[in-house]
C-alpha cells in the first residue's frame, strides 16, 4: 500500500499542476495551434513552389530505409522533410492542448472537443500527405490537402476565440440583417478560396516536374477565382460601413477582414501580372489562411455569451468572466 501511495504522488502532482480554469497556458497553446496551422501552409507551399514535392519520395520514411533525407536527396529532401517536421510540431501542440484541458474536459467540453479534433486532424493530414506522395502529387489530392489545412485553421481560430469566453448560452450582439450578410460573405469567401485552390492545382507550380495537372484552363480559372474575390470585397465594405455606423462590437474584426482582403487582392494581382513568381504565390497561399481565420473571427463574434460583453473579456481565477 505504501509503494502504491508513493507511486501515485507524481501522478497526483501532475494532475494538480494541470489548469482547473482557463489560464495563460491554455491561451498560449491555443494561439500556438493557430499560428502553426497557418505556418505549415507556408512550408507546404515552399515544398510545392521549389519543386520539392517528391524530395522525400516515400512515406512514412523519407527514402527507403531512412526516416530522414539522405545526402543524395539534396535540398529538395531537406525542404520536404522540414514540412514533415512541422506536422510533428503541430501534433505536439495539439497533444499539449488536450493535456492542459484534461481537468476541464467536463466543465469546458467545447474546448476539449476542439483540442481533440485538432489532434485528430493532424493524424488525418499526415495520412493525406502520405497519399499525396504515394500518388505522385496528384493535383486533386494536393488541393484537398490544402483545403483540409484551411479547415484546420478555422477550427484553431474557434479554439482561440472560445478560450476568451465563458461557457453558456450565446446570443446575437448585432442586428439579424447584419448577421445574415456576414454569413453570406463567409460563403463567398469560401467560394473564392476553393476556386483559388483549383486554380493553383491547374497552374505551373506542381511540386515536381513529373507531377500532373488538372487539365483545366488555368487562365479561365483565374477569372473565376477573381470574380467572387471582388464580390467578397464589396460585401466586406458594406459590413465595415454598417458596423462602424452602428458601432457594433464586431467592427474591429470586420475592419481586420477588410485589410486582409485588400492585401490579398494586391498580392493576387501582382502574381498574376508578374508571371506567378513562387514567393508571391506562397504569400498568396498563406494569406488565404489568414483570410479564412479573419472571416471565421467575424462570424464567431456575431454572438456573445448571455450577460457577457462581446469581444475578448478578462477572466477571473475561477474561469468565469468578470462582469
Amino acid at each position: 500500500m505504501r509503494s502504491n501511495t508513493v507511486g501515485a504522488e507524481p501522478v497526483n502532482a501532475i494532475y494538480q499542476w494541470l489548469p482547473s480554469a482557463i489560464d495563460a497556458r491554455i491561451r498560449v497553446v491555443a494561439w500556438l495551434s493557430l499560428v502553426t496551422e497557418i505556418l505549415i501552409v507556408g512550408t507546404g507551399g515552399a515544398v510545392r513552389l521549389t519543386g520539392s514535392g517528391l524530395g522525400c519520395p516515400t512515406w512514412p520514411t523519407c527514402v527507403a530505409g531512412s526516416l530522414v533525407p539522405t545526402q543524395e536527396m539534396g535540398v529538395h529532401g531537406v525542404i520536404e522533410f522540414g514540412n514533415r517536421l512541422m506536422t510533428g510540431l503541430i501534433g505536439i501542440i495539439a497533444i499539449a492542448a488536450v493535456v492542459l484541458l484534461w481537468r476541464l474536459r467536463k466543465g469546458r467540453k467545447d474546448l476539449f472537443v476542439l483540442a481533440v479534433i485538432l489532434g485528430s486532424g493532424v493524424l488525418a493530414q499526415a495520412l493525406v500527405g502520405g497519399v499525396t506522395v504515394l500518388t505522385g502529387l496528384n493535383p486533386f489530392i494536393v488541393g484537398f490537402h490544402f483545403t483540409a489545412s484551411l479547415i484546420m485553421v478555422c477550427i484553431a481560430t474557434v479554439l482561440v476565440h472560445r478560450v476568451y469566453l465563458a461557457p453558456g448560452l450565446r446570443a446575437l450582439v448585432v442586428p439579424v440583417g447584419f448577421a445574415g450578410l456576414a454569413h453570406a460573405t463567409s460563403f463567398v469567401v469560401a467560394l473564392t478560396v476553393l476556386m483559388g485552390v483549383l486554380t493553383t492545382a491547374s497552374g505551373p507550380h506542381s511540386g515536381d516536374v513529373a507531377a500532373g495537372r488538372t487539365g483545366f484552363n488555368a487562365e479561365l480559372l483565374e477569372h473565376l477565382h477573381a470574380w467572387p474575390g471582388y464580390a467578397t470585397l464589396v460585401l466586406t465594405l458594406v459590413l465595415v460601413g454598417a458596423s462602424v455606423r452602428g458601432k457594433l462590437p464586431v467592427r474591429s474584426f470586420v475592419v481586420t477582414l477588410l485589410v486582409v482582403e485588400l492585401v490579398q487582392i494586391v498580392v493576387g494581382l501582382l502574381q498574376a501580372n508578374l508571371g506567378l513568381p513562387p514567393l508571391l504565390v506562397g504569400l498568396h497561399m498563406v494569406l488565404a489562411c489568414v483570410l479564412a481565420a479573419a472571416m471565421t473571427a467575424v462570424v464567431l463574434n456575431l454572438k456573445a455569451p448571455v450577460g457577457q460583453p462581446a469581444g475578448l473579456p478578462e477572466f477571473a481565477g475561477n474561469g468565469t468572466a468578470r462582469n
Side-chain angles (χ1 to χ4, degrees), residues 78-303:
V78 174
I79 293 173
E80 164 62 10
F81 187 69
N83 187 55
R84 295 188 182 190
L85 288 179
M86 192 68 187
T87 300
L89 176 60
I90 293 177
I92 292 172
I93 293 171
I95 293 172
V98 171
V99 171
L100 287 173
L101 287 165
W102 184 254
R103 289 183 67 181
L104 295 168
R105 64 189 184 280
K106 295 181 179 179
R108 290 307 305 265
K109 186 178 179 180
D110 57 330
L111 299 180
F112 186 74
V113 169
L114 286 169
V116 171
I117 291 174
L118 287 170
S120 302
V122 174
L123 294 176
Q125 277 288 70
L127 292 174
V128 174
V131 173
T132 301
V133 171
L134 297 176
T135 57
L137 306 182
N138 180 290
F140 294 103
I141 297 178
V142 173
F144 174 77
H145 197 34
F146 179 49
T147 303
S149 294
L150 287 166
I151 294 173
M152 295 288 284
V153 168
C154 294
I155 295 173
T157 303
V158 177
L159 179 62
V160 170
H161 175 74
R162 288 294 184 91
V163 298
Y164 287 98
L165 294 180
L169 296 176
R170 300 166 69 235
L172 278 177
V173 291
V174 299
V176 174
F178 184 92
L181 183 60
H183 285 292
T185 304
S186 69
F187 173 79
V188 181
V189 166
L191 180 61
T192 303
V193 172
L194 289 176
M195 289 307 303
V197 172
L198 189 57
T199 301
T200 302
S202 305
H205 299 294
S206 62
D208 189 84
V209 292
R213 300 279 75 195
T214 64
F216 299 143
N217 187 318
E219 185 176 351
L220 174 60
L221 287 174
E222 284 183 11
H223 294 292
L224 294 178
H225 170 48
W227 295 338
Y230 292 130
T232 297
L233 177 61
V234 172
L235 290 170
T236 304
L237 286 171
V238 175
L239 288 174
V240 169
S243 63
V244 172
R245 184 175 62 252
K247 296 182 179 180
L248 303 180
V250 73
R251 61 187 180 276
S252 61
F253 295 96
V254 178
V255 171
T256 299
L257 175 65
L258 175 61
V259 171
V260 173
E261 288 175 3
L262 290 174
V263 175
Q264 180 73 311
I265 288 173
V266 171
V267 173
L269 290 174
L270 285 174
Q271 70 168 6
N273 288 281
L274 294 176
L276 301 177
L279 182 61
L280 289 180
V281 174
L283 179 59
H284 200 54
M285 293 172 63
V286 172
L287 285 171
C289 293
V290 179
L291 174 63
M295 187 70 251
T296 302
V298 169
V299 173
L300 290 171
N301 282 279
L302 297 176
K303 290 184 177 182

